[in-house]
Amino acid sequence: MVTDQAASGGSEGSGAGGARMIGVAIPIPDPYGSALQSKRASFGDPLADAIPTHITLLPPTEVDGEALGVVEKHLRRVARTERPFRIRLHGSGTFRPVSPVVFVSLAEGIGDCERVQSRVLSGPLSRTLPFPYHPHVTIAHHLADEVLDRAFKDLAGYRAEFEVWGFSLYEHGDDGVWRRQRDFVFGSGSGPDT
């Protein structure tokens, strides 16, 4: 989803029209998601409470509010033809020195995330990304080097496994918080709230 670079800035309108900042991501289920969010907060990351724990498929992208229906139809089509897959998280990684980010690495499910991500970034959401896609779970961003070092060491042995049921559409609120708006379940294209 929701790369952290854009997560702290901007104020988007919440009406039907006007610019809206959206992202698409695989939510990390509890207990892992909340535990990793708490861990991120423990490092003093100011975005920990504003960004739910996730694996990004579409980074922050501005769309016209009137286009959201077309975007959701596209996401339903993508989800409808996908099937659940397993993700295994294992250990930590970093994008330093290119970007001051420490993350939890994927040991299984990378190819599945890449496939879904390439399909999400087609049609009405087609765009060129500034970096090659690398699925991960951010746990520290834009913090002092010693804090990033500690985060990297603290999560070096981290392990979790879960089944990916689909992905979610998120919107960046005027208060700087990313909120889950709608789920897209693999095989059906929609979740209970669509």
Side-chain angles (χ1 to χ4, degrees):
M1 155 184 109
V2 183
T3 61
D4 302 304
Q5 292 91 323
S8 61
S11 176
E12 279 52 69
S14 56
R20 311 274 283 276
M21 187 65 72
I22 64 165
V24 177
I26 296 169
I28 305 300
D30 285 335
Y32 314 116
S34 57
L36 287 172
Q37 194 165 13
S38 294
K39 194 69 169 167
R40 185 170 181 170
S42 78
F43 298 129
D45 191 322
L47 298 177
D49 293 328
I51 304 173
T53 311
H54 67 278
I55 298 168
T56 300
L57 296 173
L58 172 75
T61 300
E62 189 173 283
V63 298
D64 188 291
E66 301 294 336
L68 279 177
V70 172
V71 167
E72 290 182 13
K73 184 176 180 182
H74 166 68
L75 295 175
R76 279 193 297 275
R77 273 195 306 267
V78 170
R80 188 174 294 122
T81 57
E82 289 291 336
R83 294 291 172 256
F85 59 87
R86 188 152 228 32
I87 282 186
R88 185 164 47 92
L89 301 176
H90 180 86
S92 56
T94 184
F95 292 131
R96 293 188 293 171
V98 175
S99 182
V101 174
V102 172
F103 55 85
V104 172
S105 301
L106 273 68
E108 182 180 342
I110 294 171
D112 294 301
C113 289
E114 290 172 338
R115 181 187 67 251
V116 175
Q117 185 265 355
S118 71
R119 296 188 64 219
V120 166
L121 261 71
S122 66
L125 293 176
S126 181
R127 62 179 280 197
T128 301
L129 298 179
F131 299 104
Y133 180 63
H134 184 274
H136 64 281
V137 181
T138 299
I139 49 106
H141 187 230
H142 277 307
L143 302 173
D145 282 340
E146 58 272 15
V147 178
L148 293 174
D149 290 342
R150 180 164 52 91
F152 184 85
K153 289 175 188 167
D154 281 2
L155 288 154
Y158 184 82
R159 292 176 185 263
E161 288 188 41
F162 57 91
E163 189 89 356
V164 176
W165 51 262
F167 53 78
S168 299
L169 173 68
Y170 293 77
E171 186 168 351
H172 190 236
D174 290 335
D175 58 359
V177 175
W178 286 95
R179 290 183 178 83
R180 203 156 136 186
Q181 301 298 310
R182 192 166 271 49
D183 294 330
F184 298 88
V185 178
F186 292 156
S188 72
S190 63
D193 64 344
T194 56

